[in-house]
Amino acid sequence: MSTYRITDIIDSNVAISPKKGLRVFDFVQQELQKGNNVTISFEGVTNCTSAFCNSFIGKLFMTHSVEILNSNLSIDTVGNTRWQSKVESATTLGSNKRVQDSLKDSYSSLSV
Amino acid sequence: MPQARPVFNINDRFLEADNRGLARIIDFYRFASAYSNTWITLDLSRCQHMDANLCAPLLAVIELVKTQKRVRTFMEFGDIVNVFYRNGMMSHLQGLGNNNEYEDERESTIPLKKFDQADDEIFCNYVAKDFFGHRGLFKVPKKIKDALAEHYAEIFTNVGIHARTDLPVYCCGQYFPQKNVLKFTLVDLGVGFLTPIQEKTTGGIDNDNDAIIWATSDFNTTKDESLGPGGTGLKLLKEYCYKNNGSLHICSGKGFVNMLNNRALEFRMPHPFPGSIINIIIRKI
């Protein structure tokens, strides 16, 4: 499993904007499509927001199943409990959204 | 004979960064925006004290009427001129922008600065150095500074997601060492809370105060889904304030909500603010 630092992917140690979160999302997407297992590390990050985590991790969990991400993606929050909590919240929000969307789809197909 | 310059007087002796203080700033905005292509006077000479935090919404509306209506503001100062020098307001009024030429000898003001929404690194640097690097805040534990810095980053980021404007964001703050109170204010000149929330809830939320409460509750969000899920930034900030003897004031449109002690106190402003103001007050840090 290869380890990549967020600071290298976004070329900054400030991980606060959703746009930067999407850059990490795109990076991980490409790695997953290649069949690679990846670890994303927060090492060197100085600021992190839930908006960043939601665009990166939340969107990944909206896009892929929990099983796929649990076996192919690892997040290292370098022991920062605040960031860990934001990662967990983004994971929950993303996977719930995915479940909600798939339920919506199944309801709409029933109503046709 | 030349026409006399229109004058707006603020007669309050004390202006605090609460709903009443903000109402005065909004009154001035309303007065100024009734003119175009002219100079007006804002007379603050009777005012003996003004919370430095009010400089953020005041500068925002001064610059807004200058941009939109070409109305330039001449200011008459009284005792509060010292605050304006110390927190950088004077540098902005003199056209020097974020380059504050004056020293804050008391080390109690956090300088007034404006940022483009893309300036996230500059903003974080401002919070780390100008704000928490402030000598007046040296006793605040690093853990608290780091947590607060991220909450400020949350609201800065929130503007880019929701405000639907390219106009700058205005920030400033003040530390009261004897009361051990830290205030931070962020102002944007965007669409406010109600418009996007009214659209999202298809009219279910139809007033400014309900929109503010909706945005700070549960995981409600109006964020574009292409950016992933949302609805956590303001909620986390509110909970942090509740847990730390703090309060969160949000003013948007005609709404003003003061969230403290797990309660939301709602006020209705006489006239709308042309954007949003978020004021975070942390006590006993």
Side-chain angles (χ1 to χ4, degrees):
Chain A
M1 186 176 272
S2 306
T3 299
Y4 300 94
R5 295 200 305 188
I6 287 171
T7 51
D8 293 331
I9 300 168
I10 63 173
D11 198 24
S12 168
N13 53 12
V14 171
I16 70 169
S17 77
K19 279 185 187 166
K20 285 179 179 165
L22 286 181
R23 275 160 70 177
V24 187
F25 166 82
D26 288 338
F27 178 86
V28 175
Q29 273 282 76
Q30 283 174 14
E31 291 298 311
L32 294 177
Q33 278 163 7
K34 288 180 205 162
N36 296 337
N37 292 352
V38 289
T39 296
I40 299 295
S41 169
F42 277 70
E43 191 185 341
V45 169
T46 53
N47 297 79
C48 170
T49 62
S50 54
F52 172 86
C53 289
N54 289 341
S55 293
F56 152 38
I57 298 160
K59 192 166 179 185
L60 279 171
F61 277 85
M62 276 170 74
T63 314
H64 301 280
S65 71
V66 175
E67 293 74 28
I68 286 177
L69 291 173
N70 280 349
S71 53
N72 295 293
L73 172 68
S74 170
I75 308 284
D76 176 10
T77 53
V78 294
N80 187 310
T81 52
R82 282 195 321 277
W83 298 347
Q84 183 62 36
S85 153
K86 287 175 189 179
V87 167
E88 285 166 9
S89 170
T91 303
T92 308
L93 280 175
S95 38
N96 284 349
K97 186 80 183 68
R98 188 169 173 275
V99 171
Q100 282 171 16
D101 288 347
S102 56
L103 279 173
K104 258 188 223 165
D105 289 345
S106 60
Y107 288 143
S108 57
S109 64
L110 279 175
S111 63
V112 172
Chain B
M1 266 189 52
Q3 275 193 320
R5 185 183 289 170
V7 179
F8 183 82
N9 289 295
I10 291 186
N11 292 320
D12 306 61
R13 287 171 63 201
F14 300 95
L15 271 186
E16 294 188 22
D18 55 14
N19 53 317
R20 280 180 295 184
L22 287 174
R24 295 290 170 275
I25 306 286
I26 296 170
D27 286 343
F28 164 68
Y29 168 69
R30 200 159 169 263
F31 173 86
S33 52
Y35 294 91
S36 59
N37 295 309
T38 190
W39 279 87
I40 58 170
T41 297
L42 171 59
D43 187 350
L44 282 160
S45 58
R46 291 171 195 82
C47 187
Q48 293 172 356
H49 167 84
M50 176 172 149
D51 269 356
N53 286 58
L54 278 177
C55 288
L58 179 57
L59 181 64
V61 298
I62 286 173
E63 295 203 343
L64 187 62
V65 292
K66 187 177 164 192
T67 307
Q68 289 185 334
K69 308 291 298 278
R70 278 176 277 169
V71 171
R72 291 169 177 266
T73 305
F74 176 81
M75 295 179 78
E76 292 276 4
F77 308 106
D79 295 344
I80 59 168
V81 71
N82 290 328
V83 172
F84 281 24
Y85 274 114
R86 284 183 7 238
N87 83 341
M89 178 75 170
M90 198 58 88
S91 296
H92 286 279
L93 295 173
Q94 290 172 340
L96 299 170
N98 286 344
N99 303 312
N100 187 8
E101 289 201 326
Y102 308 99
E103 280 287 311
D104 177 11
E105 289 166 2
R106 295 190 206 169
E107 294 274 354
S108 64
T109 63
I110 290 112
L112 171 64
K113 296 214 171 175
K114 65 176 182 179
F115 303 91
D116 284 335
Q117 289 165 39
D119 288 345
D120 56 356
E121 291 185 36
I122 298 171
F123 174 80
C124 287
N125 201 36
Y126 157 77
V127 171
K129 291 191 175 160
D130 291 350
F131 202 129
F132 289 122
H134 209 280
R135 219 169 30 169
L137 289 166
F138 76 100
K139 282 184 182 169
V140 178
K142 185 178 181 305
K143 195 177 166 186
I144 293 175
K145 286 181 180 176
D146 288 348
L148 278 170
E150 288 197 354
H151 283 299
Y152 298 154
E154 295 276 3
I155 55 169
F156 181 80
T157 306
N158 225 39
V159 175
I161 299 171
H162 301 291
R164 301 181 184 175
T165 178
D166 294 326
L167 292 170
V169 174
Y170 298 81
C171 302
C172 71
Q174 192 165 17
Y175 180 57
F176 301 87
Q178 291 178 340
K179 295 180 189 168
N180 203 9
V181 171
L182 177 65
K183 294 183 179 180
F184 179 74
T185 300
L186 184 142
V187 177
D188 74 67
L189 296 166
V191 294
F193 281 59
L194 180 58
T195 303
I197 291 173
Q198 202 164 19
E199 288 167 11
K200 172 88 179 184
T201 61
T202 52
I205 300 285
D206 62 359
N207 69 76
D208 292 300
N209 278 345
D210 284 353
I212 292 168
I213 289 168
W214 186 90
T216 52
S217 305
D218 301 323
F219 292 105
N220 294 333
T221 185
T222 59
K223 195 164 121 183
D224 177 353
E225 277 191 10
S226 67
L227 297 174
T232 40
L234 282 175
K235 183 176 185 288
L236 285 172
L237 178 60
K238 181 183 76 173
E239 286 176 359
Y240 183 86
C241 288
Y242 283 163
K243 278 184 194 162
N244 292 280
N245 300 306
S247 47
L248 178 64
H249 299 172
I250 300 182
C251 175
S252 175
K254 281 188 176 180
F256 183 98
V257 181
N258 177 5
M259 286 163 263
L260 78 165
N261 297 329
N262 289 304
R263 286 192 310 156
L265 304 174
E266 297 178 39
F267 302 87
R268 189 172 160 82
M269 307 299 277
H271 305 289
F273 181 77
S276 303
I277 303 164
I278 298 187
N279 193 12
I280 307 156
I281 301 163
I282 303 294
R283 299 177 182 86
K284 297 177 187 169
I285 55 173

